């Protein structure tokens, strides 16, 4: 029998205050994150446009249409009243290709550059004056908003006689056409410029992340390697890189997710290349830009369904690629060990059980 | 004791939680429109106490609008003495607010410009978001291309009769302006302060040098139709060694052409209409672009202003709202605000150009959230109904107002001189064109279709499509991909 004091103590449970205090976060999360996520999935199965005509046809934004949006995007094989949207099929795949190309083209140089700089900055033998200064300067582009960066590069390379590079090239004086770095038929220059901007903006950030990874490695390992006469490249390949794996996987994963959703630079650099303030450079339109373009417009062209379906497809692809990265990068030794341990336990159990029956 | 602690903790938590929902927007007095409408019967008494500090307003209303103001009631209260006008730019509004304050007893502080979006297309999307916030919204500005999105929806726009106007109040303006502001049910929901006929603005010095045209009349002879215009372009190109183009941008040419399309973009059975117009324009654009008859700059880009300051172009297609105080033309001449100090300041003249045309225009609409009824009524009345005040505004700002009577008076008096046009009166050139404006072809699909067509043409002149047929096919695909309810063959 508990005393009165004991039962009173029991009744004062402070746990619930904890829940109450974290409630604001969850409310915000549910309203602004989870609900939109679920809504996106719902919209992917609804129609497009909000005019009376589409509503009557049963393909409007309020009508349930099943998998038609996915069919239109993935195969372009819709029939009847939905067939207009088949035209999105090729656009979607083109944009997907652009996204992958631009991401790969920015990730590989970015990670190489960052890794190189991170190793240099953390190497005790490299006596570089003003390390802090360089770190700050290299991180700087990341602080500028993407809109400003896009504006800056547009002013430099815009399709006009009066953009900075063309002024330097004196295209106007010589009577030549303005060099349209960011123009339709120059597929690669436009992509290359976006890759370059992405590398320039993000290598500082990645470098800092990798540096923290390298600094986390036990210094005695480097010392031991040095005493044993390892060259710096051997140290890098045999010690730094393997021990950096977790942070590399993290970088790869975040960069991949970010890269597949790349929006700001491709969108804003392209904005203003046509009369209506939209973009016409299709070679650098990414999937995220496609999604944005589809849900944004007036009632006739608010394609929430197509937009939602494209988002869901992107989500699934991101999830698959993420899982793949984890699978490839898994710690094989640990898994093998774990498997062996389990096997040994099984074996032991079997033996213990079977022992009774054998002679 | 425990109870107290618990309840204190709960209150603290709720306080924290509630801060999460404090979004942008601060005006607490704005979200009470529905209940206000019931209080209109005693609005006169309400007016008196809400404007305790400015009894002079009452007088001004008395003498300016007593006799012509209809006795229809203003169905909004006056809870907020400040009128909020939503737009994506204050190019027009800053002049309007100044003029309004100078000529009425309201002060400049009583009309507030609220920026929504960076451009018309953006504002189209962002108004809806803004209306859902608790920001104050009384009047807002709509553009011709997408006005139908709003005036056909009662949750976003109220009829102007709610501001105390009758339909006949708007008869004094241009018929097309009234027609565009009328929704599918025949309710007038938008009223404009301007009519927007356009012309061809050209450099007087270059015209004399290359074409020998000394007066606007002589120049008009050189640009009277598109064939002559092309001829002149050729002459100018040869005389200037390819340095000077005849037209400013493809965007400018497009505005003239698209206005002159005879058929609507979409017929009554929701078929996309593609006719000779599309091919003709694409071919013309290609020729002009390849031959250098038009510059390679984009409209509204930084380069657009530059070409008007060096000798890259003979002229540009501009319309009435470009000639306003510190407006588009002034910026193109490189003038700083309120001055005439640009490289080409005052070196331009205007003629009617190869074909009559009009470009856009802005309409004022009233939001159901309006809570500044009297001042909203006075503002709309000042700029879109009353010919006397509209005339004042035309002379104040250089804008072409939506009142044939006021414009005729100004033209007859010869009281208007536009400094950016070297003292020429642009109204006299544009007055004729204004009466022929017809926008009955506008459909709800226009902004999407024109934008898609324009992209196709831009790609075509850049060599992305090998011929016009490929371009048309690309245009059709683009339309299909974005509009579900049109039949595209």
């Amino acid at each position: 029998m508990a005393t009165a004091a004991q039962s009173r103590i029991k009744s004062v449970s402070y746990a619930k205050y904890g829940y109450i205090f974290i409630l604001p976060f969850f409310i915000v999360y549910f309203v602004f994150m989870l609900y939109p996520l679920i809504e996106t999935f719902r919209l992917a199965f609804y129609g497009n446009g909000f005019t009376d005509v589409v509503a009557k046809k049963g393909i409007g934004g309020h009508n349930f249409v099943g998998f038609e949006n996915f069919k239109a995007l993935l195969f372009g094989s819709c029939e009847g009243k939905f067939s207009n949207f088949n035209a999105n099929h090729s656009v979607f795949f083109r944009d997907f290709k652009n996204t992958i190309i631009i991401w790969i083209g920015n990730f590989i140089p970015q990670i190489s550059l960052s890794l190189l700089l991170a190793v240099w900055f953390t190497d005790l033998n490299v006596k570089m004056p003003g390390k802090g200064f360089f770190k700050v300067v290299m991180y700087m582009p990341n602080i500028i908003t993407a809109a400003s960066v896009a504006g800056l590069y547009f002013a430099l390379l815009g399709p006009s006689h009066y953009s900075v590079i063309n002024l330097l090239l004196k295209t106007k004086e010589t009577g030549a056409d303005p060099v349209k770095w960011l123009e339709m038929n120059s597929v690669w220059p436009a992509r290359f410029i976006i890759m370059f901007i992405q590398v320039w903006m993000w290598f500082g950030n990645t470098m800092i992340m990798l540096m923290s990874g390298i600094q986390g490695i036990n210094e005695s390992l480097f010392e031991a390697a040095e005493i044993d006469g390892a060259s710096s490249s051997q140290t890098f390949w045999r010690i730094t890189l393997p021990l950096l794996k977790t942070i590399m996987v993290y970088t790869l994963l975040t960069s991949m997710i970010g890269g597949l959703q790349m929006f700001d630079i491709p969108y804003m650099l392209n904005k203003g290349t046509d009369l209506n303030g939209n973009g016409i450079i299709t070679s650098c339109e990414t999937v995220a830009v496609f999604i944005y373009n589809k849900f944004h417009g007036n009632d006739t062209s608010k394609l929430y369904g197509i937009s939602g379906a494209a988002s869901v497809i992107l989500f699934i692809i991101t999830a698959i690629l993420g899982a793949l990265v984890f699978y490839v990068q898994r710690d094989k030794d640990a898994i093998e060990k774990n498997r062996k341990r389990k096997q040994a336990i099984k074996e032991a159990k079997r033996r213990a059980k079977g022992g009774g029956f054998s002679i | 004791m425990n109870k107290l602690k618990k309840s204190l903790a709960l209150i603290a938590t709720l306080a924290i939680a509630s801060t999460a929902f404090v979004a942008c927007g601060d005006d607490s007095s704005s979200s009470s429109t529905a209940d206000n409408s019931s209080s209109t019967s005693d609005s006169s008494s309400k007016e008196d106490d809400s404007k305790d500090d400015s009894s002079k307003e009452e007088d001004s209303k008395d003498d300016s609008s007593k006799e012509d103001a209809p006795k229809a009631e203003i169905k909004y209260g006056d809870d907020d003495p400040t009128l909020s006008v939503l737009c994506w730019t204050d190019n027009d509004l800053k002049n309007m607010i100044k003029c309004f304050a100078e000529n009425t007893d309201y002060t400049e502080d009583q009309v507030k410009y609220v920026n929504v979006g960076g451009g018309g297309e953006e504002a189209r999307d962002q108004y809806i978001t803004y209306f859902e916030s608790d920001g104050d919204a009384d009047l807002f500005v709509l553009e011709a291309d997408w006005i139908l999105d709003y005036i056909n929806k009662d949750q976003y726009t109220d009829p102007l009769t709610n501001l105390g106007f009758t339909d006949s109040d708007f008869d004094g303006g241009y018929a097309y302006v009234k027609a565009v502001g009328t929704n599918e049910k025949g309710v007038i929901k938008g009223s404009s302060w301007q009519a927007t006929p356009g012309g061809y603005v050209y450099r007087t010095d270059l015209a004399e040098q290359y074409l020998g045209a000394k007066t606007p009349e002589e120049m008009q002879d050189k640009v009277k139709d598109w064939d002559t215009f092309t001829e002149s372009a050729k002459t100018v190109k040869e005389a200037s060694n390819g340095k000077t183009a005849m037209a400013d941008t493809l965007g400018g040419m497009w505005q003239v052409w698209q206005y002159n399309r005879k058929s609507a973009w979409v017929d009554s059975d929701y078929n996309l209409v593609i006719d000779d117009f599309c091919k003709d324009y694409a071919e013309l654009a290609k020729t002009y672009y390849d031959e250098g008859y038009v510059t390679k700059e984009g409209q509204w880009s930084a380069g657009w202003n530059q070409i008007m300051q060096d000798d890259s172009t003979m002229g540009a297609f501009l319309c009435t709202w470009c000639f306003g105080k510190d407006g588009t033309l002034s910026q193109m001449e490189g003038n700083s605000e309120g001055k005439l100090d640009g490289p080409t300041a005052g070196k331009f003249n205007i003629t009617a150009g190869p074909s009559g045309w009009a470009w856009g225009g802005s309409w004022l609409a009233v939001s159901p959230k309006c809570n500044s009824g009297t001042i909203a009524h006075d503002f709309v009345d000042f700029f879109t109904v009353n010919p006397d005040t509209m005339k004042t505004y035309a002379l104040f700002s250089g804008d072409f107002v939506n009142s044939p009577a006021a414009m005729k008076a100004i033209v007859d008096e010869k009281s208007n001189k536009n400094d950016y046009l070297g003292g020429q009166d642009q109204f006299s050139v544009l007055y004729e064109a204004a009466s022929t404006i017809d926008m009955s072809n506008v459909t709800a699909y226009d902004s999407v279709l024109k934008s898609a067509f324009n992209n196709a043409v831009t790609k075509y002149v850049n060599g992305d499509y090998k011929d016009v047929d490929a371009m048309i096919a690309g245009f059709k695909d683009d339309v299909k991909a974005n509009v579900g309810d049109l039949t595209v063959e």
Side-chain angles (χ1 to χ4, degrees), chain A residues 17 20 27 51 53-54 84-85 88 160-162 172 180 184-185 274-275 294 296-300 303, chain B residues 6 13 21 124-125 149 153 251 270 289 297 310 312 445 454-455 462 464 480-486:
Chain A
Y17 296 125
I20 293 171
I27 293 173
T51 58
V53 189
V54 280
N84 265 12
F85 296 118
N88 284 307
S160 156
H161 276 305
Y162 303 93
K172 195 171 150 50
K180 300 193 169 184
M184 196 50 221
N185 24 16
D274 82 341
L275 297 172
K294 290 298 154 182
H296 143 103
N298 64 3
D299 281 358
T300 57
L303 310 184
Chain B
K6 277 186 191 172
T13 319
F21 294 99
R124 180 181 75 186
D125 286 349
D149 282 4
K153 287 195 189 122
Y270 300 100
Y289 200 79
E297 300 302 317
D310 54 32
S312 302
Y445 299 90
N454 233 310
N455 283 353
N462 276 304
D464 190 52
K480 276 191 205 163
N482 288 302
V483 185
D485 44 357
L486 291 184

Side-chain angles (χ1 to χ4, degrees), chain B residues 70-87:
Chain B
K71 281 294 139 201
E73 279 175 75
I74 301 174
K75 297 205 172 119
Y76 306 101
D78 285 315
D79 302 331
D80 182 5
T82 313
L83 177 73
S84 301
V85 188
L86 279 50
C87 190

